[in-house]
Amino acid sequence: MRVNVMSVVVVGIQWGDEGKGKIVDLLTEKADMVVRFQGGNNAGHTLVVEGRRFVFHLIPSGILHREKMCVIGNGVVVDPFVLLEEMDTLEKEGFEVTPDRLKISARAHMILPYHRYLDLAREDKSGGKIGTTGRGIGPAYEDKVGRRGIRMADFLDPGIFAEKLKVNTQWANFVLTRYLGKEPIDPAEFERLDDALRDRLRPFVTDTSLLLNDSAAAGKAILYEGAQGALLDVDHGTYPYVTSSNTVTGNVCCGAGVGPTTIKEVVGVLKAYTTRVGGGPFPTELFDETGQALRDKGAEYGATTGRPRRCGWFDAVAVRHAVRINGVTSLALTKLDVLDELDAIMIGTAYRLDGNTQKGFPALASDLERVEPIYETLEGWRRDITACRAWEDLPDEARAYISFIEETVGVPVDIVSVGSDRAQTIIRRHPFGG
């Protein structure tokens, strides 16, 4: 079967929070389907549409387009209570979430109450070293690779679910009480996992791999939506300060059940500066009033946790690493307007480690903690750009900043965001064409 290739992947290429939700929402206008392929409800995609703010944790942000189908792939770990809460919130806002608009993979693993308890207890024992959100994502992925996970298909079979739940609860309570020094899980935590919940979810669950491959063969335009960012990838990120899944483009194939030949374009989303949440190395981090100004003007507080984000200058070394491992074909630069008031803007172009200059991204977190960024300084534009709608509208200095990023990273910037609203966007080239 020869596939009519019409698929675009959107991935974050910093430490998450790059503004992927807005870019996905924008590109969804030319897509037929929007697919989440990894992560869980530790991710938060925020959209502002006509002044209304929406935050998505599991359901693809394309759900705001009423004629589109959204898919939660097998690579996602699904907390059923969070999912139903999102569905109910959307319904209250006037957006129908019906089985013909949302599909969930039967092979997607579930996040259950004991996963959250384990996550929080371990973070408490480690003294908050990693900075997990405590949503149970890590333990759910551990169960998956440990071959004891509970999938949506298992949940829909009451007998299989009851047997697996009994065994997994015993194991979780052993770890909680004997190693982590916590109380065992109260059986009442599982009372809500009843037939009513099962019956409500059943119509949404299907073989999404088959659905996506049939859709690709029929020439449907499919948009794959990543969560977190490449520098949080469990293999390629700043290990161990990473998330529990592969966040890079390659995981589309595993996390959605499609082949690499179905992918046409890879859009890497990045901020005009850099942020990260939680622990871990951050070479270009700012601890001065400029860092606080970026945080305040950029509203840099987590959509999922509310935690303040660490802020710093643009790090071209980290971005080049992310571009390479994702096969990025174009960039979407967000929050350029946050830099409006700065007289000078710096870009980290290389690192100095132990007296040696290097352009590569070290594998050891301890090395990244010690590197000294080498900066290039560019002139700021010192004016409001939020009303710009075309490349020519941007100040010369803003265009020079973007061009410098393109030259340093080696990938064109095709989309520029100058504000939080959908309309505050400059599109130089659309990844779906046209």
Side-chain angles (χ1 to χ4, degrees):
M1 177 180 65
R2 189 168 181 82
V3 175
N4 184 6
V5 181
M6 289 291 290
S7 296
V8 173
V9 181
V10 173
V11 289
I13 56 171
Q14 292 166 316
W15 279 285
D17 309 309
E18 301 95 345
K20 295 180 294 296
K22 175 183 175 177
I23 302 304
V24 169
D25 175 65
L26 188 74
L27 301 185
T28 298
E29 293 177 350
K30 291 195 176 185
D32 298 302
M33 308 172 75
V34 185
V35 186
R36 269 284 303 274
F37 62 90
Q38 52 78 218
N41 57 297
N42 53 341
H45 287 178
T46 303
L47 299 181
V48 178
V49 181
E50 297 178 354
R52 299 166 70 189
R53 185 174 183 268
F54 299 86
V55 180
F56 297 94
H57 301 282
L58 281 172
I59 297 176
S61 46
I63 200 73
L64 296 182
H65 296 256
R66 302 177 191 273
E67 72 282 10
K68 313 295 182 179
M69 178 183 288
C70 291
V71 177
I72 297 175
N74 58 276
V76 180
V77 285
V78 180
D79 185 320
F81 303 116
V82 173
L83 176 62
L84 291 177
E85 183 180 351
E86 277 193 34
M87 293 166 65
D88 290 341
T89 299
L90 282 164
E91 294 278 358
K92 290 176 183 177
E93 291 289 338
F95 294 90
E96 285 189 317
V97 185
T98 57
D100 63 336
R101 293 205 61 217
L102 177 65
K103 302 292 185 183
I104 306 166
S105 173
R107 292 176 170 84
H109 283 247
M110 298 180 70
I111 297 173
L112 297 170
Y114 54 82
H115 292 129
R116 296 193 298 273
Y117 280 94
L118 287 167
D119 204 0
L120 290 167
R122 288 192 313 195
E123 186 72 356
D124 182 57
K125 188 177 180 69
S126 73
K129 179 181 177 182
I130 301 298
T132 175
T133 60
R135 302 300 201 269
I137 281 77
Y141 276 118
E142 289 178 32
D143 276 3
K144 177 179 179 177
V145 298
R147 294 170 295 202
R148 58 179 174 267
I150 296 177
R151 304 172 302 165
M152 296 299 299
D154 302 319
F155 177 61
L156 296 185
D157 186 309
I160 292 175
F161 176 67
E163 180 180 349
K164 287 194 168 189
L165 183 62
K166 179 181 178 181
V167 173
N168 285 8
T169 304
Q170 290 174 345
W171 176 85
N173 278 337
F174 176 82
V175 175
L176 282 168
T177 58
R178 301 294 294 274
Y179 175 64
L180 297 172
K182 302 295 183 180
E183 293 296 317
I185 298 169
D186 186 344
E189 290 284 348
F190 303 101
E191 291 177 358
R192 291 189 295 160
L193 293 162
D194 56 14
D195 290 338
L197 177 61
R198 182 177 291 109
D199 291 342
R200 185 170 178 195
L201 289 176
R202 188 183 301 276
F204 296 90
V205 179
T206 190
D207 185 341
T208 53
S209 173
L210 180 62
L211 171 66
L212 291 170
N213 280 277
D214 284 349
S215 299
K220 298 290 187 181
I222 304 175
L223 182 61
Y224 293 96
E225 172 184 13
Q228 289 94 29
L231 302 181
L232 293 175
D233 184 275
V234 70
D235 282 302
H236 301 286
T238 50
Y239 192 88
Y241 303 95
V242 293
T243 192
S244 303
S245 62
N246 288 111
T247 62
V248 295
T249 305
N251 198 26
V252 171
C253 301
C254 297
V258 297
T261 53
T262 63
I263 297 172
K264 174 189 175 185
E265 295 263 358
V266 179
V267 179
V269 185
L270 70 167
K271 284 176 181 168
Y273 49 101
T274 310
T275 65
R276 83 171 296 174
V277 173
F282 184 174
T284 62
E285 184 171 8
L286 291 167
F287 300 95
D288 57 9
E289 59 183 16
T290 301
Q292 186 60 48
L294 292 174
R295 183 177 300 112
D296 292 341
K297 187 172 176 60
E300 296 296 353
Y301 298 89
T304 298
T305 63
R307 290 182 294 182
R309 297 176 186 140
R310 299 155 64 190
C311 298
W313 295 120
F314 188 93
D315 187 338
V317 182
V319 170
R320 283 195 298 266
H321 170 73
V323 163
R324 183 179 68 254
I325 62 178
N326 280 287
V328 171
T329 55
S330 71
L331 297 172
L333 187 69
T334 65
K335 292 199 171 184
L336 185 65
D337 55 298
V338 175
L339 307 180
D340 280 356
E341 299 171 8
L342 299 179
D343 293 324
I345 305 169
M346 300 176 73
I347 292 181
T349 57
Y351 296 153
R352 186 175 290 111
L353 178 63
D354 296 331
N356 299 312
T357 299
Q358 58 182 60
K359 293 186 178 181
F361 194 69
L364 290 176
S366 56
D367 283 346
L368 272 171
E369 293 280 10
R370 296 188 301 114
V371 299
E372 177 188 349
I374 299 172
Y375 289 107
E376 291 281 347
T377 302
L378 284 78
E379 186 178 356
W381 43 94
R382 299 179 296 278
R383 71 193 79 170
D384 187 342
I385 63 170
T386 56
C388 295
R389 296 294 180 269
W391 176 251
E392 295 75 18
D393 296 338
L394 290 170
D396 291 343
E397 297 85 355
R399 294 201 301 271
Y401 182 71
I402 296 169
S403 295
F404 187 87
I405 289 174
E406 291 178 318
E407 294 168 7
T408 306
V409 173
V411 179
V413 175
D414 288 335
I415 299 173
V416 181
S417 174
V418 294
S420 59
D421 196 83
R422 180 189 289 172
Q424 293 176 301
T425 312
I426 298 168
I427 300 179
R428 304 171 71 188
R429 185 186 71 89
H430 201 292
F432 277 116

